[in-house]
Amino acid sequence: DIQMTQSPASLSASLGETVTIECRASEDIYSNLAWYQQKPGNSPQLLIYDANSLADGVPSRFSGSGSGTQYSLKINSLQSEDVASYFCQQYNNYPFTFGLGTKLEIK
Amino acid sequence: EVQLVESGGGLVQPGSSLKLSCVASGFTFSSYNMHWIRQAPKKGLEWIALIYYDSSNKYYADSVKGRFTISRDNSKNTLYLEMNSLRSEDTAMYYCAKGGYLLLRPFDYWGQGVMVTVSS
């Protein structure tokens, strides 16, 4: 199985700041990488797919990048509504696997 | 608007069975692969099962293989997860999720989830 190592596990930042979350795959996943946002009490929602494509309705302050085994999610101009957990997920091979998540809080 | 609505969860004893349902609307259900994903309390996400759009293939995580069965009824726009020999470690929120036309696509819509608690 492909292991997804996500960092940091938690993150505290101020409103308006830029934050970056990293995700490393145990093998090349050819940009078959998605990022999900899960707000407290809600189900996950797709943010980014194919490593850098924005899902429908997602604000442009979210962006994804990376290739091979290294990927990142960047959130510009942090807003209060961005408080959530963020998960990366590879869909290059079954079983699809997720990172353990990053919990983002506002300072 | 795409909607996925799960039902069938509850509190059950170890060793028992439960069947979850997920009713889909807002898209052509019969054209898309569908998945079940679970999340144990305060834990991460675990993909557990996939069924092709036409039920021709099914895949399972090792943790549920041989105990869980995924199925679908395209005439009813409904996805199912039959769970047997339930264990305490199966306690989780279970989500159905829409996949893509193609096999290797992310989950672009998720249901609200249904809680399954396995405890004596």
Side-chain angles (χ1 to χ4, degrees):
Chain A
D1 297 2
I2 297 175
Q3 306 304 314
M4 303 300 292
T5 304
Q6 189 174 335
S7 62
S10 63
L11 185 52
S12 183
S14 302
L15 294 175
E17 265 192 59
T18 294
V19 300
T20 300
I21 299 169
E22 307 281 348
C23 191
R24 185 182 78 248
S26 59
E27 62 186 74
D28 194 330
I29 57 171
Y30 303 96
S31 297
N32 288 314
L33 189 283
W35 290 96
Y36 299 90
Q37 177 192 62
Q38 185 176 30
K39 295 185 179 181
N42 288 354
S43 55
Q45 288 194 305
L46 180 65
L47 286 178
I48 302 283
Y49 63 96
D50 295 346
N52 58 17
S53 296
L54 212 58
D56 289 346
V58 175
S60 59
R61 64 178 182 276
F62 291 90
S63 62
S65 63
S67 62
T69 62
Q70 299 275 4
Y71 299 87
S72 61
L73 171 70
K74 187 162 79 170
I75 310 172
N76 289 316
S77 301
L78 194 64
Q79 307 290 306
S80 57
E81 60 263 33
D82 300 334
V83 169
S85 291
Y86 294 84
F87 297 90
C88 62
Q89 178 237 335
Q90 67 80 20
Y91 48 93
N92 191 63
N93 275 325
Y94 282 97
F96 288 176
T97 46
F98 293 85
L100 292 180
T102 296
K103 189 173 183 179
L104 175 60
E105 296 175 335
I106 302 295
K107 233 183 247 183
Chain B
E1 179 195 5
V2 172
Q3 283 200 312
L4 299 168
V5 180
E6 302 97 334
S7 61
L11 171 62
V12 296
Q13 293 193 331
S16 59
S17 299
L18 203 58
K19 188 170 184 176
L20 307 182
S21 300
C22 169
V23 177
S25 61
F27 65 103
T28 306
F29 180 72
S30 58
S31 296
Y32 289 88
N33 302 321
M34 295 294 294
H35 302 261
W36 286 99
I37 298 142
R38 69 184 180 183
Q39 186 172 32
K42 310 284 189 189
K43 298 288 187 184
L45 296 159
E46 179 188 19
W47 169 85
I48 57 172
L50 152 74
I51 186 168
Y52 278 27
Y53 67 99
D54 60 355
S55 301
S56 59
N57 277 291
K58 304 173 186 181
Y59 294 93
Y60 300 92
D62 286 346
S63 58
V64 305
K65 200 175 295 182
R67 299 187 300 123
F68 290 12
T69 302
I70 189 172
S71 61
R72 65 192 296 162
D73 185 339
N74 285 345
S75 69
K76 296 181 178 178
N77 285 356
T78 303
L79 176 72
Y80 302 100
L81 184 69
E82 187 157 12
M83 305 184 293
N84 297 320
S85 303
L86 282 162
R87 306 166 180 166
S88 58
E89 55 264 38
D90 295 319
T91 294
M93 184 72 79
Y94 284 74
Y95 298 100
C96 66
K98 174 180 168 286
Y101 280 120
L102 302 174
L103 186 59
L104 300 180
R105 298 310 297 155
F107 314 122
D108 56 0
Y109 291 94
W110 299 57
Q112 85 287 351
V114 63
M115 189 67 201
V116 172
T117 303
V118 184
S119 175
S120 54

